[in-house]
Amino acid sequence: MSNTKNIQDKFKIAFECSKLIFDRLAVWVIQLSWAKFVFLVIFLFILGGAIGDGIKLLVSVDHTPPQPPASVHINIDMDAEQKDQIKKQIKERILDLDELNGLPMDKRNRLVDDVCDILDVLFVFDQFKKTDDKLIHAEPPSLEAHIDINDFVALFVLLMLGIKVLMGGKKRAEALARESQKEAERESLLRQVAEAKIQMMQAQIEPHFLFNTLASVEYLIETDPPRAAAMQHRLIQYLRQVLPKIREHASGNDLGREADMVQAYLDLLKMRMEERLEFKINISEGLRSAAFPPMILQTLVENAIKHGLEPKTEGGLLIVSAEVAHQKLRITVVDNGLGFGMAKSSGTGLGLQNVRERLAFLYKGQSQFLIGENKPSGVYITIEVPYTLAAV
């Protein structure tokens, strides 16, 4: 039982190691470009061919067929009795020949001996010829199983190709899914940040503006009660326009509501600045239903008042206009105030920067924010966004 468990554990370890190696190989192959992959395949085939040729050379050297010996000495031992018997038979046949009757006996015996010696030589030559034929026609030893390295290279290349084609698509799909999820999370986070900025801007009623207005109401109560009541009435209208936006969390809005809020703000401000402030809001009734982000128009108007008209001794004119051009809603805020860099300001300059960031986030590069000098004095700001109707 313990042996079986040990075998299972070893098999499990081997499987995990193989899986780890395969996963790392798959990741490495998938990350290769097709150009590098083709170069790798060519390199593997060249390397495999070189290794195969080297192995063949080593095999041919190790199994060189044996060369026949320079000289072969074969000793054939014949019994003396057999030899004498053969000679005796040859001697008898020679002696029986009629043609030799005229020869003396000593010559006949010498002839018999010479013939026996020739037979011995012929016998030895015949044995040598048979042995030599066996050595000449012997086949050299060869390998029974011949292994080609290129076969393994081809299998490995097919494995890598399968990984790159099949698993590459899966990995790319997973990577795209992860990237899409990250992008969605990033978009959600940016939207939350944008909504937080919107809520902050919606909740922000400039302290100096509100305090100055309340101080003006308090002063007019003693000097001009009817005018104080009118200013208080304008302040209430303005707060009614602003406070609902503090409770709303949607990033969408219509241009009409933004225009009404700006109208209430400028009406209240005119009661405090009197003849130093003139303004016009040129927004047609048909454009009031156009979709427009909240608090952007209010920010542009406040910026023009704070940095252009309010610091100017004689005040000036503010014009807010809207039109549609080339399927774009164009909003323009123009003042004839002091202009760029003429007024001392303690502001941070984040108002217009927030407007740019919000437009870039909401419209994904389909919006424009232009700011320039208004001749002979003042500043103009133009915003263009895609023209759509606000959701009801």
Side-chain angles (χ1 to χ4, degrees):
M1 190 69 178
S2 59
N3 292 334
T4 304
K5 188 175 183 303
N6 291 334
I7 293 174
Q8 291 178 351
D9 292 340
K10 291 180 179 179
F11 179 78
K12 185 177 180 180
I13 294 174
F15 176 77
E16 293 295 334
C17 293
S18 302
K19 184 176 181 299
L20 179 62
I21 294 173
F22 179 80
D23 290 340
R24 292 188 176 180
L25 175 64
V27 172
W28 179 72
V29 171
I30 291 170
Q31 291 176 349
L32 285 178
S33 64
W34 279 106
K36 292 182 179 179
F37 180 80
V38 172
F39 176 79
L40 176 63
V41 169
I42 296 174
F43 174 76
L44 288 177
F45 274 114
I46 294 175
L47 181 62
I51 294 176
D53 293 340
I55 292 176
K56 290 179 181 178
L57 181 61
L58 291 176
V59 169
S60 65
V61 171
D62 293 339
H63 298 84
T64 303
Q67 300 296 327
S71 62
V72 179
H73 301 282
I74 301 176
N75 296 321
I76 300 176
D77 296 329
M78 183 179 290
D79 294 340
E81 184 179 355
Q82 292 177 351
K83 188 175 181 180
D84 292 339
Q85 186 177 1
I86 292 173
K87 288 181 178 181
K88 183 179 180 180
Q89 292 175 358
I90 293 172
K91 183 177 180 180
E92 290 176 353
R93 291 185 180 182
I94 292 173
L95 293 175
D96 289 338
L97 293 174
D98 295 333
E99 291 78 4
L100 300 179
N101 290 329
L103 292 176
M105 183 59 65
D106 56 342
K107 289 185 178 181
R108 291 183 183 181
N109 292 333
R110 193 165 40 252
L111 178 62
V112 169
D113 295 332
D114 293 336
V115 170
C116 290
D117 293 335
I118 292 171
L119 288 176
D120 290 337
V121 172
L122 291 175
F123 176 76
V124 173
F125 180 78
D126 183 68
Q127 293 298 323
F128 174 80
K129 184 175 181 300
K130 291 180 180 179
T131 305
D132 190 53
D133 289 341
K134 291 182 180 180
L135 293 175
I136 292 174
H137 297 289
E139 294 181 0
S142 61
L143 292 178
E144 295 293 335
H146 180 67
I147 300 175
D148 192 354
I149 299 298
N150 284 329
D151 294 339
F152 292 103
V153 174
L155 291 175
F156 184 68
V157 169
L158 289 177
L159 175 63
M160 292 194 302
L161 182 61
I163 291 174
K164 189 166 185 63
V165 173
L166 299 178
M167 297 187 64
K170 181 181 177 182
K171 294 292 185 182
R172 283 191 294 271
E174 292 176 354
L176 289 175
R178 289 193 298 267
E179 189 66 24
S180 298
Q181 183 178 1
K182 290 181 181 179
E183 184 66 19
E185 293 176 354
R186 189 177 71 88
E187 291 288 338
S188 177
L189 181 61
L190 290 176
R191 188 173 296 278
Q192 292 176 8
V193 172
E195 290 179 356
K197 289 182 178 181
I198 292 172
Q199 295 173 18
M200 179 185 66
M201 294 176 67
Q202 289 171 344
Q204 179 184 4
I205 302 174
E206 292 194 28
H208 81 280
F209 164 74
L210 184 58
F211 293 155
N212 290 341
T213 302
L214 292 176
S216 298
V217 171
E218 183 181 7
Y219 173 77
L220 291 175
I221 289 175
E222 298 178 357
T223 59
D224 193 349
R227 189 179 170 193
M231 181 174 289
Q232 183 182 10
H233 177 69
R234 295 293 184 185
L235 178 60
I236 292 173
Q237 286 183 334
Y238 173 72
L239 294 176
R240 283 177 176 174
Q241 293 291 334
V242 173
L243 290 179
K245 297 184 179 298
I246 298 176
R247 295 189 296 268
E248 296 173 357
H249 299 284
S251 59
N253 197 29
D254 60 77
L255 184 58
R257 295 177 63 182
E258 294 301 303
D260 292 340
M261 187 172 64
V262 169
Q263 179 74 45
Y265 171 78
L266 292 175
D267 286 341
L268 180 60
L269 198 61
K270 178 160 178 66
M271 294 192 68
R272 185 165 61 86
M273 295 180 64
E274 297 180 340
E275 69 278 357
R276 295 179 58 242
L277 175 62
E278 298 291 335
F279 66 88
K280 295 180 181 179
I281 300 179
N282 300 325
I283 298 177
S284 64
E285 191 66 28
L287 292 180
R288 290 179 61 86
S289 60
F292 195 73
M295 297 301 297
I296 287 183
L297 186 59
Q298 173 81 9
T299 301
L300 299 183
V301 171
E302 289 179 357
N303 186 77
I305 295 294
K306 182 177 180 181
H307 299 287
L309 297 178
E310 195 171 27
K312 193 175 181 179
T313 305
E314 65 274 21
L317 174 65
L318 177 70
I319 301 176
V320 180
S321 60
E323 61 179 343
V324 176
H326 306 292
Q327 299 299 317
K328 296 281 189 178
L329 177 63
R330 181 181 297 165
I331 306 295
T332 303
V333 177
V334 182
D335 69 81
N336 60 353
L338 293 180
F340 289 112
M342 299 301 297
K344 294 182 180 180
S345 173
S346 60
T348 60
L350 294 178
L352 298 183
Q353 181 64 27
N354 287 336
V355 170
R356 288 190 182 93
E357 293 177 358
R358 287 180 60 198
L359 291 174
F361 171 74
L362 293 174
Y363 297 103
K364 309 300 181 186
Q366 298 183 8
S367 63
Q368 280 191 339
F369 181 93
L370 304 175
I371 183 170
E373 183 179 359
N374 181 37
K375 297 297 181 63
S377 65
V379 175
Y380 75 87
I381 297 177
T382 300
I383 291 176
E384 288 188 358
V385 297
Y387 174 64
T388 57
L389 295 179
V392 179

Coordinates of all heavy atoms in Angstrom, one line a residue, residues 22 64 87 97 102 165 168 172 176 210 213-214 219 231 235 257 279 285 300:
F22 N 5.2 23.4 -19.1 CA 4.4 23.6 -20.3 C 3.8 25.0 -20.2 O 3.7 25.8 -21.2 CB 3.3 22.6 -20.3 CG 2.3 22.8 -21.5 CD1 2.7 22.4 -22.8 CD2 1.1 23.4 -21.3 CE1 1.8 22.6 -23.8 CE2 0.2 23.6 -22.4 CZ 0.6 23.2 -23.6
T64 N 32.7 1.2 -38.5 CA 33.4 1.0 -39.8 C 33.6 -0.5 -40.0 O 34.1 -1.2 -39.1 CB 34.8 1.7 -39.7 OG1 34.6 3.1 -39.4 CG2 35.5 1.5 -41.1
K87 N 48.1 -41.0 -51.3 CA 49.3 -41.2 -52.2 C 49.4 -42.6 -52.7 O 49.8 -42.8 -53.9 CB 50.6 -40.9 -51.4 CG 50.8 -39.4 -51.1 CD 52.0 -39.2 -50.3 CE 52.3 -37.7 -50.0 NZ 53.5 -37.4 -49.3
L97 N 49.0 -46.9 -65.5 CA 49.0 -46.2 -66.8 C 49.9 -46.9 -67.8 O 51.1 -47.1 -67.4 CB 49.3 -44.7 -66.7 CG 48.3 -43.9 -65.9 CD1 48.8 -42.5 -65.7 CD2 47.0 -43.9 -66.6
G102 N 57.3 -47.5 -69.9 CA 58.6 -47.4 -70.4 C 59.5 -46.6 -69.4 O 60.7 -46.6 -69.6
V165 N -1.1 29.3 -31.8 CA -2.4 29.6 -32.6 C -3.6 29.4 -31.6 O -4.5 30.2 -31.6 CB -2.5 28.6 -33.8 CG1 -3.8 28.8 -34.4 CG2 -1.4 29.0 -34.8
G168 N -2.8 31.1 -27.9 CA -2.6 32.5 -28.1 C -3.8 33.3 -28.2 O -4.0 34.3 -27.5
R172 N -5.0 36.0 -25.5 CA -5.3 37.4 -25.9 C -6.7 37.7 -25.5 O -6.9 38.9 -25.1 CB -5.1 37.5 -27.4 CG -3.7 37.6 -27.9 CD -3.6 38.0 -29.3 NE -4.1 36.9 -30.2 CZ -3.4 36.0 -30.7 NH1 -2.1 35.9 -30.4 NH2 -3.9 35.0 -31.5
L176 N -7.5 40.8 -23.1 CA -8.5 41.8 -23.5 C -9.6 42.0 -22.5 O -10.0 43.1 -22.1 CB -9.1 41.5 -24.9 CG -8.1 41.7 -26.1 CD1 -8.8 41.3 -27.4 CD2 -7.7 43.1 -26.2
L210 N -21.5 85.4 -1.2 CA -22.7 85.3 -0.3 C -22.6 86.3 0.8 O -23.6 87.0 1.2 CB -22.7 83.9 0.2 CG -23.9 83.5 1.1 CD1 -25.3 83.8 0.3 CD2 -23.9 82.1 1.5
T213 N -23.3 89.8 -0.4 CA -24.7 90.0 -0.6 C -25.5 90.2 0.7 O -26.3 91.1 0.8 CB -25.2 88.8 -1.4 OG1 -24.5 88.7 -2.6 CG2 -26.7 89.1 -1.8
L214 N -25.2 89.3 1.7 CA -25.9 89.5 2.9 C -25.5 90.8 3.6 O -26.4 91.4 4.3 CB -25.5 88.3 3.9 CG -26.1 86.9 3.4 CD1 -25.6 85.8 4.3 CD2 -27.6 86.9 3.4
Y219 N -27.1 96.3 5.1 CA -27.0 97.8 4.9 C -28.2 98.4 4.4 O -28.6 99.5 4.8 CB -25.7 98.0 4.1 CG -25.5 99.5 3.7 CD1 -25.0 100.4 4.7 CD2 -25.9 100.0 2.5 CE1 -24.8 101.7 4.3 CE2 -25.7 101.3 2.1 CZ -25.2 102.2 3.1 OH -25.0 103.5 2.7
M231 N -33.4 92.7 -3.0 CA -32.2 91.9 -3.1 C -32.4 90.6 -2.3 O -31.9 89.6 -2.8 CB -31.0 92.7 -2.4 CG -29.7 92.0 -2.5 SD -28.3 93.0 -1.9 CE -28.2 94.2 -3.2
L235 N -31.9 86.9 -3.9 CA -31.0 85.9 -3.2 C -31.8 84.6 -3.1 O -31.3 83.5 -3.3 CB -30.5 86.4 -1.9 CG -29.7 85.4 -1.1 CD1 -28.4 85.0 -1.9 CD2 -29.3 86.1 0.3
R257 N -31.9 75.0 -17.6 CA -31.7 75.1 -16.2 C -30.5 75.9 -15.8 O -30.4 76.6 -14.9 CB -31.8 73.7 -15.5 CG -33.1 73.0 -15.7 CD -33.0 71.6 -15.1 NE -32.8 71.6 -13.7 CZ -32.6 70.5 -13.0 NH1 -32.7 69.3 -13.6 NH2 -32.4 70.6 -11.7
F279 N -25.5 92.9 -18.5 CA -25.4 91.5 -19.0 C -26.5 91.2 -20.0 O -27.6 91.7 -19.9 CB -25.3 90.5 -17.9 CG -26.6 90.3 -17.1 CD1 -27.6 89.5 -17.5 CD2 -26.8 91.1 -16.0 CE1 -28.8 89.3 -16.8 CE2 -28.0 91.0 -15.2 CZ -29.0 90.1 -15.6
E285 N -35.2 79.7 -27.1 CA -36.0 78.7 -26.4 C -35.8 77.3 -27.0 O -35.9 76.3 -26.2 CB -37.5 79.1 -26.6 CG -38.5 78.3 -25.8 CD -38.3 78.6 -24.3 OE1 -37.8 79.8 -23.9 OE2 -38.6 77.8 -23.5
L300 N -18.0 79.6 -15.7 CA -17.5 80.6 -16.6 C -17.9 82.0 -16.3 O -17.1 83.0 -16.4 CB -17.9 80.2 -18.0 CG -17.4 78.8 -18.5 CD1 -17.9 78.6 -20.0 CD2 -15.9 78.7 -18.4

